[in-house]
Amino acid sequence: MESLGGFLPVVINVCKALLILIVGWVAAGILSSMVRSRINKNVNIDKTLGNFVASIIKWVILLMVLAAVLAVFGIQTTSIVAMLSAATLAIGLALQGTLSDLASGFMLILFRPYKIDQFVDIGGTSGTVVDINLFVTELVTVDNVQIIIPNGQAWGSIITNYSHHDTRRLDLTFGIDYGDDADKAMQIILDQAAADERVFKDPEPWARVTNLGDSSVDLTARLWCNGADYWELKFEMTQAVKEAFDKGGVTIPYPHSVEIHKEG
């Protein structure tokens, strides 16, 4: 009975700790979601900031929950601080990467090299930004693959933001046969551009001979459009020009090879 009496307080403390953990975890999720929702409803505030603030609130609540759990077992926060102070160097080395990610997260929010819903390339990895929190940036690739990049790596990498500007220039290259009329081919390209309402009239569509290849004369067209129209315009314009070349008698050549036989 004495052993049972000594074991009972431990069981009670464990139950209290579990209850605090569950309630705290749920509360952290609910409050962070409420803050994110409230901030994101304001059209004047970028929702990237809402996600980041919600992440901060969640982690602060979880730290408070951890302190409360430790207090249940009689471990005071002052004792924790004393122990951490005594092991500052070791903890600093162990958390070096995490602290770097945390600091980089604040830098990303402060300077905004990218925002949620923008298509970016971070250190050679491309995708749409779906979340930026205290420690990581989450991307989704065009084939729906999740990519998690630590904020420290993101901040230290070359960032290419394809969605930063509302408009983009679309460059298309077409190869025609050396025997074809280059002026006629360029006019076909410009006619197709003029017929598509997604192509801006200003800046004016541009087409020039840009290279003399091994088996083709290369023509480059430069068109301006809204960023949201870029990919569909690229695919559809490529098909439209190909079909217009066929109707106009302009040939897109196959690569040529010449075999030389020497008689012995």
Side-chain angles (χ1 to χ4, degrees):
M1 293 294 295
E2 292 182 1
S3 60
L4 182 60
F7 183 70
L8 186 59
V10 175
V11 174
I12 294 176
N13 286 339
V14 170
C15 292
K16 287 181 180 179
L18 288 174
L19 181 61
I20 292 173
L21 281 174
I22 294 173
V23 173
W25 186 270
V26 173
I30 293 175
L31 289 176
S32 63
S33 296
M34 289 175 59
V35 170
R36 181 186 295 107
S37 177
R38 181 62 63 87
I39 294 177
N40 290 345
K41 285 182 179 179
N42 191 328
V43 295
N44 296 319
I45 301 178
D46 181 12
K47 64 180 181 180
T48 303
L49 183 62
N51 283 27
F52 194 78
V53 172
S55 177
I56 293 176
I57 291 175
K58 180 178 181 179
W59 282 102
V60 168
I61 294 175
L62 291 178
L63 287 175
M64 294 172 62
V65 170
L66 177 61
V69 170
L70 294 175
V72 169
F73 294 101
I75 303 175
Q76 301 300 320
T77 53
T78 53
S79 300
I80 298 174
V81 172
M83 288 187 294
L84 291 177
S85 299
T88 300
L89 180 59
I91 293 174
L93 291 174
L95 298 179
Q96 184 177 6
T98 302
L99 294 176
S100 175
D101 292 337
L102 178 62
S104 297
F106 281 102
M107 297 298 286
L108 291 171
I109 292 299
L110 179 63
F111 290 98
R112 305 286 186 87
Y114 51 79
K115 303 175 184 178
I116 289 178
D117 292 335
Q118 291 186 329
F119 187 81
V120 300
D121 182 293
I122 302 176
T125 301
S126 300
T128 300
V129 181
V130 294
D131 189 25
I132 307 172
N133 59 45
L134 284 176
F135 302 104
V136 301
T137 292
E138 181 182 346
L139 305 180
V140 171
T141 64
V142 292
D143 53 345
N144 204 33
V145 176
Q146 181 189 48
I147 304 291
I148 304 297
I149 303 177
N151 285 336
Q153 293 184 20
W155 180 248
S157 300
I158 295 177
I159 299 171
T160 303
N161 190 336
Y162 295 99
S163 304
H164 181 74
H165 299 290
D166 294 332
T167 61
R168 288 187 65 182
R169 192 184 77 187
L170 171 61
D171 290 3
L172 297 171
T173 300
F174 303 94
I176 65 172
D177 192 89
Y178 270 91
D180 289 337
D181 187 340
D183 289 330
K184 178 181 179 180
M186 288 187 291
Q187 189 58 52
I188 289 175
I189 295 172
L190 294 176
D191 289 344
Q192 293 301 312
D196 196 312
E197 61 183 12
R198 293 169 296 184
V199 178
F200 294 169
K201 304 300 187 261
D202 184 20
E204 186 179 1
W206 177 97
R208 295 289 189 277
V209 176
T210 53
N211 183 55
L212 300 177
D214 294 335
S215 58
S216 66
V217 176
D218 296 332
L219 312 178
T220 297
R222 293 177 177 174
L223 318 174
W224 285 88
C225 64
N226 289 318
D229 295 330
Y230 180 88
W231 288 108
E232 284 302 315
L233 181 61
K234 176 181 175 67
F235 300 143
E236 293 177 14
M237 184 61 63
T238 300
Q239 180 178 348
V241 170
K242 191 324 184 145
E243 293 173 352
F245 277 179
D246 292 343
K247 293 179 181 179
V250 176
T251 306
I252 298 177
Y254 295 99
H256 296 144
S257 60
V258 178
E259 294 185 5
I260 300 175
H261 299 278
K262 292 185 178 181
E263 295 182 0

